[in-house]
Amino acid sequence: MKTKQVPVIITLVAGLVTCLIGFVMQMKADEFIKVLVIVLISFYILGGIAKVVLDKNFTEETEEATDEAVEEAESEESDEESEEAVEESTEE
């Protein structure tokens, strides 16, 4: 899964919400800028944490799926070899 953009999306959404609330509450410009900077930095960090968690979980699922596929392939190969051995023994 592509999670590179998760921190940016979370940050932009938080910034949008902050802007809307700032305009509705008619905040002063200096106060608004301070709040906006704090919100953007905070949510960028939270987005980075969310990205790491998503990467870790999806990597584990991919590894498990790959391991299962390898095991299935090996079991199919051993089944085919067993069937060939049975066919050879019955022919003799």
Side-chain angles (χ1 to χ4, degrees):
M1 179 178 180
K2 295 182 181 180
T3 58
K4 183 178 180 180
Q5 299 164 344
V6 169
V8 175
I9 292 171
I10 290 175
T11 303
L12 288 174
V13 170
L16 176 66
V17 171
T18 304
C19 286
L20 293 174
I21 291 172
F23 289 134
V24 169
M25 296 183 66
Q26 298 177 352
M27 294 174 70
K28 293 181 181 178
D30 60 340
E31 182 183 341
F32 173 72
I33 291 172
K34 289 177 187 175
V35 170
L36 182 63
V37 168
I38 291 170
V39 166
L40 292 177
I41 292 171
S42 302
F43 276 89
Y44 188 78
I45 292 169
L46 290 173
I49 293 169
K51 178 189 177 305
V52 169
V53 170
L54 288 172
D55 286 340
K56 183 178 178 184
N57 288 333
F58 282 110
T59 303
E60 289 175 359
E61 289 180 9
T62 305
E63 289 175 358
E64 290 174 4
T66 305
D67 292 341
E68 290 174 4
V70 169
E71 290 174 1
E72 287 179 14
E74 289 175 353
S75 66
E76 288 176 5
E77 288 176 4
S78 64
D79 290 344
E80 290 174 2
E81 291 173 0
S82 302
E83 290 174 3
E84 289 174 6
V86 170
E87 288 175 5
E88 289 177 5
S89 65
T90 56
E91 290 176 1
E92 296 176 359

Coordinates of all heavy atoms in Angstrom, one line a residue:
M1 N 0.8 -1.2 0.0 CA 0.0 0.0 0.0 C 0.9 1.2 0.0 O 1.9 1.3 0.7 CB -0.9 0.0 1.2 CG -1.8 1.2 1.3 SD -2.9 1.0 2.8 CE -3.8 2.5 2.6
K2 N 0.5 2.2 -0.8 CA 1.2 3.5 -0.8 C 0.8 4.4 0.3 O -0.3 4.9 0.3 CB 1.0 4.1 -2.2 CG 1.5 3.3 -3.3 CD 1.3 4.1 -4.6 CE 1.8 3.2 -5.8 NZ 1.7 3.9 -7.1
T3 N 1.7 4.6 1.3 CA 1.4 5.4 2.4 C 2.2 6.6 2.5 O 2.2 7.3 3.5 CB 1.6 4.6 3.7 OG1 2.9 4.1 3.8 CG2 0.6 3.4 3.8
K4 N 2.9 6.9 1.5 CA 3.8 8.1 1.5 C 3.0 9.4 1.7 O 3.5 10.3 2.3 CB 4.5 8.2 0.1 CG 5.5 9.3 0.0 CD 6.3 9.2 -1.3 CE 7.3 10.4 -1.4 NZ 8.0 10.3 -2.7
Q5 N 1.8 9.5 1.2 CA 1.0 10.7 1.3 C 0.1 10.8 2.5 O -0.5 11.9 2.7 CB 0.2 10.8 0.0 CG 1.0 10.9 -1.2 CD 0.2 10.6 -2.5 OE1 -0.9 10.1 -2.4 NE2 0.8 10.9 -3.6
V6 N 0.1 9.9 3.4 CA -0.7 9.9 4.6 C -0.4 11.1 5.5 O -1.4 11.8 5.8 CB -0.6 8.6 5.4 CG1 -1.3 8.7 6.7 CG2 -1.2 7.4 4.5
P7 N 0.8 11.4 5.8 CA 1.1 12.5 6.7 C 0.6 13.9 6.1 O 0.1 14.7 6.7 CB 2.6 12.5 6.9 CG 3.0 11.1 6.6 CD 2.1 10.6 5.6
V8 N 0.8 14.0 4.8 CA 0.5 15.2 4.1 C -1.1 15.4 4.1 O -1.6 16.5 4.3 CB 1.0 15.2 2.6 CG1 0.5 16.4 1.9 CG2 2.5 15.2 2.7
I9 N -1.8 14.3 3.8 CA -3.3 14.4 3.7 C -3.8 14.8 5.1 O -4.7 15.6 5.2 CB -3.9 13.1 3.2 CG1 -3.5 12.9 1.7 CG2 -5.4 13.1 3.4 CD1 -3.8 11.6 1.1
I10 N -3.3 14.1 6.1 CA -3.8 14.4 7.5 C -3.5 15.8 7.9 O -4.3 16.5 8.5 CB -3.1 13.4 8.5 CG1 -3.7 12.0 8.3 CG2 -3.4 13.8 9.9 CD1 -3.1 10.9 9.1
T11 N -2.3 16.3 7.5 CA -1.9 17.7 7.8 C -2.8 18.7 7.1 O -3.3 19.7 7.7 CB -0.4 17.9 7.5 OG1 0.4 17.0 8.1 CG2 0.0 19.3 7.8
L12 N -3.1 18.4 5.8 CA -3.9 19.4 5.1 C -5.4 19.4 5.6 O -6.0 20.5 5.7 CB -3.9 19.0 3.6 CG -2.6 19.3 2.9 CD1 -2.7 18.8 1.5 CD2 -2.3 20.8 2.9
V13 N -5.9 18.3 6.0 CA -7.2 18.2 6.5 C -7.3 19.0 7.9 O -8.2 19.8 8.1 CB -7.7 16.8 6.7 CG1 -9.0 16.7 7.5 CG2 -7.9 16.1 5.3
A14 N -6.3 18.8 8.7 CA -6.2 19.5 10.0 C -6.1 21.0 9.8 O -6.7 21.8 10.4 CB -5.1 19.0 10.8
G15 N -5.3 21.4 8.8 CA -5.2 22.8 8.5 C -6.5 23.4 8.0 O -6.8 24.5 8.3
L16 N -7.2 22.7 7.1 CA -8.4 23.2 6.6 C -9.4 23.4 7.7 O -10.1 24.4 7.8 CB -9.0 22.2 5.6 CG -10.4 22.5 5.0 CD1 -10.4 23.8 4.2 CD2 -10.9 21.3 4.2
V17 N -9.5 22.4 8.6 CA -10.5 22.5 9.8 C -10.1 23.7 10.6 O -10.9 24.5 11.1 CB -10.5 21.2 10.6 CG1 -11.3 21.4 11.9 CG2 -11.1 20.1 9.7
T18 N -8.8 23.9 10.9 CA -8.3 25.0 11.7 C -8.6 26.3 11.0 O -9.1 27.3 11.7 CB -6.8 24.9 11.9 OG1 -6.5 23.6 12.5 CG2 -6.3 26.0 12.8
C19 N -8.5 26.4 9.7 CA -8.8 27.7 9.0 C -10.3 28.0 9.1 O -10.7 29.1 9.4 CB -8.4 27.5 7.5 SG -6.6 27.6 7.3
L20 N -11.1 27.0 8.9 CA -12.6 27.2 9.0 C -13.0 27.6 10.4 O -13.7 28.6 10.5 CB -13.3 25.9 8.6 CG -13.2 25.4 7.2 CD1 -13.9 24.1 7.0 CD2 -13.8 26.5 6.2
I21 N -12.4 27.0 11.4 CA -12.8 27.4 12.8 C -12.2 28.8 13.1 O -12.9 29.6 13.7 CB -12.2 26.4 13.8 CG1 -12.9 25.0 13.7 CG2 -12.3 26.9 15.2 CD1 -12.4 23.9 14.5
G22 N -11.0 29.1 12.6 CA -10.5 30.4 12.8 C -11.3 31.5 12.2 O -11.5 32.6 12.8
F23 N -11.8 31.3 11.0 CA -12.6 32.3 10.3 C -14.0 32.4 11.0 O -14.5 33.6 11.1 CB -12.8 31.9 8.8 CG -11.6 32.1 8.0 CD1 -11.2 31.1 7.1 CD2 -10.8 33.3 8.1 CE1 -10.0 31.3 6.3 CE2 -9.6 33.4 7.3 CZ -9.3 32.4 6.5
V24 N -14.6 31.3 11.4 CA -15.9 31.4 12.0 C -15.8 32.1 13.4 O -16.7 32.9 13.7 CB -16.5 30.0 12.2 CG1 -17.7 30.0 13.1 CG2 -16.8 29.4 10.8
M25 N -14.7 31.9 14.1 CA -14.5 32.5 15.4 C -13.9 33.9 15.3 O -13.7 34.6 16.3 CB -13.7 31.6 16.3 CG -14.4 30.3 16.6 SD -13.4 29.3 17.7 CE -13.5 30.2 19.2
Q26 N -13.6 34.3 14.1 CA -13.0 35.6 13.9 C -11.7 35.9 14.7 O -11.7 36.9 15.5 CB -14.0 36.7 14.0 CG -15.2 36.6 13.1 CD -16.2 37.7 13.3 OE1 -16.2 38.4 14.3 NE2 -17.2 37.7 12.4
M27 N -10.8 34.9 14.6 CA -9.6 35.1 15.4 C -8.7 36.2 14.8 O -8.7 36.4 13.7 CB -8.8 33.7 15.4 CG -9.5 32.6 16.1 SD -8.7 31.0 15.9 CE -7.3 31.2 16.8
K28 N -7.9 36.7 15.7 CA -6.9 37.7 15.2 C -5.8 37.0 14.4 O -5.5 35.8 14.6 CB -6.2 38.4 16.4 CG -7.2 39.3 17.2 CD -6.5 40.0 18.4 CE -7.5 40.8 19.1 NZ -6.8 41.5 20.3
A29 N -5.2 37.7 13.5 CA -4.2 37.1 12.6 C -3.0 36.5 13.3 O -2.6 35.4 13.0 CB -3.8 38.1 11.6
D30 N -2.4 37.2 14.3 CA -1.3 36.7 14.9 C -1.6 35.4 15.8 O -0.9 34.4 15.8 CB -0.6 37.7 15.8 CG -1.5 38.3 16.9 OD1 -2.7 38.2 16.7 OD2 -1.0 38.9 17.9
E31 N -2.7 35.4 16.4 CA -3.2 34.3 17.2 C -3.5 33.1 16.2 O -3.1 32.0 16.5 CB -4.4 34.7 18.0 CG -5.0 33.6 18.9 CD -6.3 34.0 19.6 OE1 -6.5 35.2 19.7 OE2 -7.0 33.1 20.0
F32 N -4.2 33.4 15.1 CA -4.5 32.4 14.2 C -3.3 31.7 13.6 O -3.2 30.5 13.5 CB -5.4 33.0 13.0 CG -5.6 32.0 11.9 CD1 -6.5 31.0 12.1 CD2 -5.0 32.2 10.7 CE1 -6.8 30.1 11.0 CE2 -5.2 31.3 9.6 CZ -6.1 30.3 9.8
I33 N -2.3 32.5 13.2 CA -1.1 31.9 12.7 C -0.3 31.0 13.6 O 0.1 29.9 13.3 CB -0.1 33.0 12.2 CG1 -0.8 33.7 10.9 CG2 1.3 32.5 11.8 CD1 -0.1 35.0 10.5
K34 N -0.3 31.4 14.9 CA 0.4 30.6 15.9 C -0.4 29.3 16.1 O 0.3 28.2 16.1 CB 0.4 31.3 17.3 CG 1.3 32.5 17.4 CD 1.2 33.2 18.7 CE 2.1 34.4 18.7 NZ 1.9 35.2 20.0
V35 N -1.7 29.3 16.1 CA -2.5 28.1 16.3 C -2.3 27.2 15.0 O -2.1 26.0 15.2 CB -4.0 28.4 16.5 CG1 -4.9 27.2 16.4 CG2 -4.2 29.1 17.9
L36 N -2.4 27.8 13.9 CA -2.2 27.1 12.6 C -0.9 26.4 12.5 O -0.8 25.2 12.2 CB -2.4 28.0 11.4 CG -2.4 27.3 10.0 CD1 -3.5 26.3 9.9 CD2 -2.4 28.3 8.9
V37 N 0.2 27.0 12.9 CA 1.5 26.4 12.8 C 1.6 25.3 13.8 O 2.1 24.2 13.5 CB 2.6 27.5 13.1 CG1 4.0 26.8 13.4 CG2 2.7 28.5 12.0
I38 N 1.1 25.4 15.0 CA 1.1 24.4 16.0 C 0.3 23.2 15.5 O 0.7 22.0 15.6 CB 0.6 24.9 17.4 CG1 1.6 25.9 18.0 CG2 0.4 23.7 18.3 CD1 1.1 26.6 19.2
V39 N -0.9 23.4 15.0 CA -1.7 22.3 14.5 C -1.1 21.6 13.3 O -1.0 20.4 13.3 CB -3.1 22.9 14.0 CG1 -3.9 21.9 13.2 CG2 -3.9 23.3 15.3
L40 N -0.5 22.3 12.4 CA 0.2 21.7 11.2 C 1.3 20.8 11.6 O 1.5 19.7 11.2 CB 0.6 22.7 10.2 CG -0.5 23.5 9.5 CD1 0.1 24.6 8.6 CD2 -1.4 22.6 8.7
I41 N 2.2 21.3 12.5 CA 3.3 20.5 13.0 C 2.8 19.3 13.8 O 3.3 18.2 13.5 CB 4.3 21.4 13.9 CG1 4.9 22.5 13.0 CG2 5.3 20.5 14.6 CD1 5.7 23.5 13.7
S42 N 1.9 19.5 14.7 CA 1.4 18.4 15.4 C 0.8 17.3 14.6 O 1.1 16.1 14.7 CB 0.3 18.9 16.4 OG 0.8 19.8 17.3
F43 N -0.1 17.7 13.6 CA -0.7 16.7 12.8 C 0.2 16.0 11.8 O 0.0 14.9 11.3 CB -2.0 17.3 12.1 CG -3.2 17.2 13.0 CD1 -3.4 18.3 13.9 CD2 -4.0 16.1 13.1 CE1 -4.5 18.2 14.8 CE2 -5.1 16.1 13.9 CZ -5.4 17.1 14.8
Y44 N 1.3 16.8 11.4 CA 2.3 16.1 10.5 C 3.0 15.0 11.3 O 3.2 14.0 10.7 CB 3.3 17.2 10.0 CG 4.2 16.6 8.9 CD1 3.7 16.4 7.6 CD2 5.5 16.2 9.2 CE1 4.6 15.9 6.7 CE2 6.3 15.7 8.3 CZ 5.8 15.5 7.0 OH 6.7 14.9 6.1
I45 N 3.3 15.3 12.5 CA 4.0 14.2 13.4 C 3.0 13.0 13.5 O 3.4 11.9 13.4 CB 4.4 14.8 14.7 CG1 5.5 15.8 14.5 CG2 4.8 13.7 15.7 CD1 5.9 16.6 15.7
L46 N 1.7 13.3 13.9 CA 0.8 12.2 14.0 C 0.6 11.5 12.7 O 0.4 10.2 12.7 CB -0.6 12.8 14.5 CG -0.6 13.3 15.9 CD1 -2.0 14.0 16.2 CD2 -0.4 12.2 16.9
G47 N 0.6 12.2 11.6 CA 0.5 11.5 10.3 C 1.7 10.6 10.0 O 1.5 9.5 9.4
G48 N 2.9 11.0 10.4 CA 4.1 10.2 10.3 C 4.0 8.9 11.1 O 4.3 7.8 10.7
I49 N 3.4 9.1 12.3 CA 3.2 7.9 13.2 C 2.2 7.0 12.5 O 2.4 5.7 12.5 CB 2.8 8.3 14.6 CG1 3.9 9.1 15.3 CG2 2.3 7.1 15.4 CD1 3.5 9.8 16.6
A50 N 1.1 7.5 12.0 CA 0.1 6.7 11.3 C 0.7 6.0 10.1 O 0.4 4.8 9.9 CB -1.1 7.5 10.9
K51 N 1.6 6.6 9.4 CA 2.2 6.0 8.2 C 3.1 4.8 8.7 O 3.1 3.8 8.0 CB 3.1 7.0 7.5 CG 3.9 6.5 6.3 CD 4.8 7.5 5.8 CE 5.7 7.0 4.7 NZ 6.4 5.8 4.9
V52 N 3.8 5.0 9.7 CA 4.7 3.9 10.2 C 3.9 2.7 10.6 O 4.2 1.6 10.3 CB 5.6 4.4 11.4 CG1 6.3 3.3 12.1 CG2 6.6 5.4 10.9
V53 N 2.8 3.0 11.3 CA 1.9 1.9 11.8 C 1.3 1.2 10.6 O 1.3 -0.1 10.5 CB 0.8 2.4 12.7 CG1 -0.3 1.4 13.0 CG2 1.4 2.9 14.0
L54 N 0.8 1.9 9.6 CA 0.2 1.3 8.4 C 1.3 0.5 7.6 O 1.0 -0.6 7.2 CB -0.4 2.4 7.5 CG -1.7 3.0 7.9 CD1 -2.0 4.2 7.0 CD2 -2.8 2.0 8.0
D55 N 2.5 1.0 7.5 CA 3.6 0.3 6.8 C 3.9 -1.0 7.5 O 4.1 -2.0 6.9 CB 4.8 1.2 6.7 CG 4.7 2.3 5.7 OD1 3.8 2.2 4.8 OD2 5.5 3.2 5.7
K56 N 4.0 -0.9 8.8 CA 4.3 -2.1 9.6 C 3.2 -3.2 9.5 O 3.5 -4.4 9.2 CB 4.5 -1.8 11.1 CG 4.9 -2.9 11.9 CD 5.1 -2.5 13.4 CE 5.5 -3.7 14.2 NZ 5.6 -3.4 15.6
N57 N 2.0 -2.8 9.6 CA 0.9 -3.8 9.5 C 0.8 -4.4 8.1 O 0.5 -5.6 8.0 CB -0.4 -3.2 9.9 CG -0.5 -2.9 11.4 OD1 0.2 -3.6 12.2 ND2 -1.2 -1.9 11.8
F58 N 0.8 -3.6 7.1 CA 0.7 -4.1 5.7 C 1.9 -4.9 5.3 O 1.8 -5.9 4.5 CB 0.4 -3.0 4.7 CG -1.0 -2.5 4.7 CD1 -1.3 -1.3 5.2 CD2 -2.0 -3.3 4.3 CE1 -2.6 -0.9 5.3 CE2 -3.3 -2.9 4.4 CZ -3.6 -1.7 4.8
T59 N 3.1 -4.6 5.8 CA 4.3 -5.4 5.5 C 4.1 -6.8 6.1 O 4.5 -7.8 5.5 CB 5.5 -4.7 6.1 OG1 5.6 -3.4 5.5 CG2 6.8 -5.5 5.7
E60 N 3.6 -6.9 7.4 CA 3.4 -8.2 8.0 C 2.4 -9.0 7.2 O 2.6 -10.2 7.0 CB 3.0 -8.0 9.4 CG 4.1 -7.4 10.4 CD 3.6 -7.1 11.8 OE1 2.4 -7.4 12.0 OE2 4.4 -6.7 12.6
E61 N 1.3 -8.4 6.8 CA 0.3 -9.2 6.0 C 0.9 -9.7 4.7 O 0.6 -10.8 4.3 CB -0.9 -8.3 5.8 CG -1.7 -8.0 7.0 CD -2.9 -7.2 6.7 OE1 -3.2 -6.9 5.5 OE2 -3.6 -6.7 7.7
T62 N 1.7 -8.8 4.1 CA 2.3 -9.2 2.8 C 3.3 -10.4 3.0 O 3.3 -11.3 2.2 CB 3.1 -8.0 2.1 OG1 2.1 -7.0 2.0 CG2 3.6 -8.4 0.8
E63 N 4.1 -10.3 4.1 CA 5.0 -11.4 4.3 C 4.3 -12.7 4.6 O 4.7 -13.8 4.2 CB 5.9 -11.0 5.5 CG 6.9 -10.0 5.2 CD 7.7 -9.5 6.4 OE1 7.4 -10.0 7.5 OE2 8.6 -8.6 6.3
E64 N 3.2 -12.6 5.4 CA 2.4 -13.8 5.7 C 1.8 -14.4 4.4 O 1.8 -15.6 4.3 CB 1.3 -13.5 6.7 CG 1.8 -13.2 8.1 CD 0.6 -12.7 9.0 OE1 -0.5 -12.7 8.6 OE2 1.0 -12.3 10.2
A65 N 1.3 -13.6 3.6 CA 0.7 -14.0 2.3 C 1.7 -14.7 1.5 O 1.5 -15.7 0.8 CB 0.0 -12.9 1.6
T66 N 2.9 -14.1 1.4 CA 4.0 -14.7 0.6 C 4.5 -16.0 1.2 O 4.7 -17.0 0.5 CB 5.2 -13.7 0.6 OG1 4.8 -12.4 0.2 CG2 6.3 -14.2 -0.3
D67 N 4.6 -16.1 2.5 CA 4.9 -17.4 3.2 C 3.9 -18.4 2.9 O 4.2 -19.6 2.6 CB 5.1 -17.2 4.7 CG 6.3 -16.3 5.1 OD1 7.2 -16.2 4.2 OD2 6.3 -15.8 6.2
E68 N 2.6 -18.1 2.9 CA 1.6 -19.1 2.7 C 1.6 -19.5 1.2 O 1.4 -20.7 0.9 CB 0.2 -18.5 3.0 CG -0.1 -18.3 4.4 CD -1.4 -17.5 4.7 OE1 -2.1 -17.2 3.7 OE2 -1.6 -17.2 5.9
A69 N 1.9 -18.6 0.3 CA 2.0 -19.0 -1.1 C 3.1 -19.9 -1.4 O 3.0 -20.9 -2.2 CB 2.1 -17.7 -2.0
V70 N 4.3 -19.7 -0.7 CA 5.4 -20.6 -0.9 C 5.1 -22.0 -0.3 O 5.4 -23.0 -0.9 CB 6.7 -20.0 -0.1 CG1 7.8 -21.0 -0.1 CG2 7.1 -18.7 -0.9
E71 N 4.4 -22.0 0.8 CA 4.1 -23.3 1.4 C 3.1 -24.0 0.5 O 3.2 -25.3 0.4 CB 3.4 -23.1 2.8 CG 4.4 -22.6 3.9 CD 3.8 -22.3 5.2 OE1 2.5 -22.4 5.3 OE2 4.5 -21.9 6.1
E72 N 2.1 -23.3 -0.1 CA 1.2 -24.0 -1.0 C 1.9 -24.5 -2.2 O 1.6 -25.6 -2.7 CB 0.1 -23.0 -1.4 CG -0.9 -22.7 -0.3 CD -2.0 -21.7 -0.8 OE1 -2.1 -21.5 -2.0 OE2 -2.7 -21.2 0.1
A73 N 2.8 -23.8 -2.7 CA 3.6 -24.2 -3.9 C 4.4 -25.4 -3.6 O 4.4 -26.4 -4.4 CB 4.5 -23.1 -4.4
E74 N 5.0 -25.4 -2.4 CA 5.8 -26.6 -2.0 C 4.9 -27.8 -1.8 O 5.3 -28.9 -2.2 CB 6.6 -26.3 -0.8 CG 7.7 -25.3 -1.0 CD 8.4 -24.9 0.3 OE1 7.9 -25.3 1.4 OE2 9.4 -24.2 0.3
S75 N 3.8 -27.7 -1.2 CA 2.9 -28.8 -1.0 C 2.3 -29.3 -2.3 O 2.2 -30.5 -2.5 CB 1.7 -28.4 -0.1 OG 0.9 -27.5 -0.7
E76 N 2.1 -28.4 -3.3 CA 1.6 -28.9 -4.6 C 2.7 -29.7 -5.3 O 2.4 -30.7 -6.0 CB 1.2 -27.7 -5.5 CG -0.1 -27.1 -5.0 CD -0.5 -25.8 -5.8 OE1 0.2 -25.5 -6.8 OE2 -1.5 -25.2 -5.4
E77 N 3.9 -29.2 -5.2 CA 5.0 -29.9 -5.8 C 5.2 -31.3 -5.2 O 5.4 -32.3 -5.9 CB 6.3 -29.1 -5.7 CG 6.4 -27.9 -6.6 CD 7.6 -27.1 -6.3 OE1 8.5 -27.5 -5.5 OE2 7.7 -26.0 -6.9
S78 N 5.1 -31.4 -3.9 CA 5.3 -32.7 -3.3 C 4.1 -33.6 -3.6 O 4.3 -34.8 -3.8 CB 5.4 -32.5 -1.7 OG 4.2 -32.0 -1.2
D79 N 2.9 -33.1 -3.8 CA 1.8 -33.9 -4.2 C 2.0 -34.4 -5.6 O 1.7 -35.6 -5.9 CB 0.5 -33.0 -4.1 CG 0.0 -32.7 -2.7 OD1 0.6 -33.4 -1.8 OD2 -0.8 -31.8 -2.5
E80 N 2.5 -33.6 -6.5 CA 2.7 -34.0 -7.9 C 3.8 -35.1 -7.9 O 3.7 -36.1 -8.6 CB 3.2 -32.8 -8.7 CG 2.0 -31.9 -9.0 CD 2.5 -30.6 -9.7 OE1 3.7 -30.6 -10.1 OE2 1.7 -29.7 -10.0
E81 N 4.8 -35.0 -7.1 CA 5.9 -36.0 -7.0 C 5.4 -37.3 -6.5 O 5.7 -38.4 -6.9 CB 7.1 -35.5 -6.2 CG 7.8 -34.3 -6.8 CD 8.9 -33.7 -5.9 OE1 9.0 -34.2 -4.7 OE2 9.5 -32.8 -6.3
S82 N 4.5 -37.2 -5.5 CA 3.9 -38.4 -4.9 C 3.0 -39.1 -5.9 O 3.1 -40.3 -6.1 CB 3.0 -38.0 -3.7 OG 3.8 -37.4 -2.7
E83 N 2.2 -38.3 -6.7 CA 1.4 -38.9 -7.7 C 2.2 -39.6 -8.8 O 1.9 -40.7 -9.3 CB 0.5 -37.9 -8.3 CG -0.6 -37.4 -7.4 CD -1.4 -36.2 -8.0 OE1 -1.1 -35.8 -9.2 OE2 -2.2 -35.7 -7.3
E84 N 3.3 -39.0 -9.2 CA 4.2 -39.5 -10.2 C 4.8 -40.8 -9.7 O 4.9 -41.8 -10.5 CB 5.3 -38.6 -10.6 CG 4.8 -37.4 -11.4 CD 5.9 -36.3 -11.7 OE1 7.1 -36.6 -11.3 OE2 5.5 -35.3 -12.2
A85 N 5.2 -40.8 -8.4 CA 5.8 -42.0 -7.9 C 4.8 -43.2 -7.8 O 5.1 -44.3 -8.1 CB 6.3 -41.8 -6.4
V86 N 3.5 -42.9 -7.5 CA 2.5 -43.9 -7.5 C 2.2 -44.4 -8.9 O 2.1 -45.6 -9.1 CB 1.2 -43.3 -6.8 CG1 0.0 -44.2 -7.0 CG2 1.4 -42.9 -5.4
E87 N 2.2 -43.5 -9.9 CA 2.0 -44.0 -11.2 C 3.1 -44.9 -11.7 O 2.9 -45.9 -12.4 CB 1.8 -42.7 -12.2 CG 0.6 -42.0 -12.0 CD 0.5 -40.7 -12.8 OE1 1.4 -40.5 -13.6 OE2 -0.5 -39.9 -12.7
E88 N 4.3 -44.5 -11.4 CA 5.5 -45.3 -11.8 C 5.4 -46.7 -11.1 O 5.7 -47.7 -11.8 CB 6.8 -44.6 -11.5 CG 7.0 -43.4 -12.4 CD 8.3 -42.7 -11.9 OE1 9.0 -43.2 -11.0 OE2 8.6 -41.6 -12.5
S89 N 5.1 -46.7 -9.9 CA 5.0 -48.0 -9.2 C 3.9 -48.9 -9.7 O 4.0 -50.1 -9.7 CB 4.9 -47.8 -7.7 OG 3.7 -47.2 -7.4
T90 N 2.8 -48.3 -10.1 CA 1.7 -49.1 -10.6 C 2.0 -49.6 -12.0 O 1.5 -50.7 -12.4 CB 0.4 -48.3 -10.6 OG1 0.6 -47.1 -11.4 CG2 -0.1 -48.0 -9.2
E91 N 2.8 -48.9 -12.8 CA 3.2 -49.3 -14.1 C 4.1 -50.5 -14.1 O 4.1 -51.4 -15.0 CB 3.8 -48.2 -14.9 CG 2.9 -47.1 -15.3 CD 3.6 -45.9 -15.9 OE1 4.8 -46.0 -16.1 OE2 2.9 -44.9 -16.3
E92 N 4.9 -50.6 -13.1 CA 5.8 -51.8 -13.0 C 5.1 -53.0 -12.5 O 4.8 -53.9 -12.8 CB 6.9 -51.4 -12.0 CG 7.8 -50.3 -12.4 CD 8.8 -49.9 -11.4 OE1 8.8 -50.5 -10.3 OE2 9.5 -49.0 -11.6

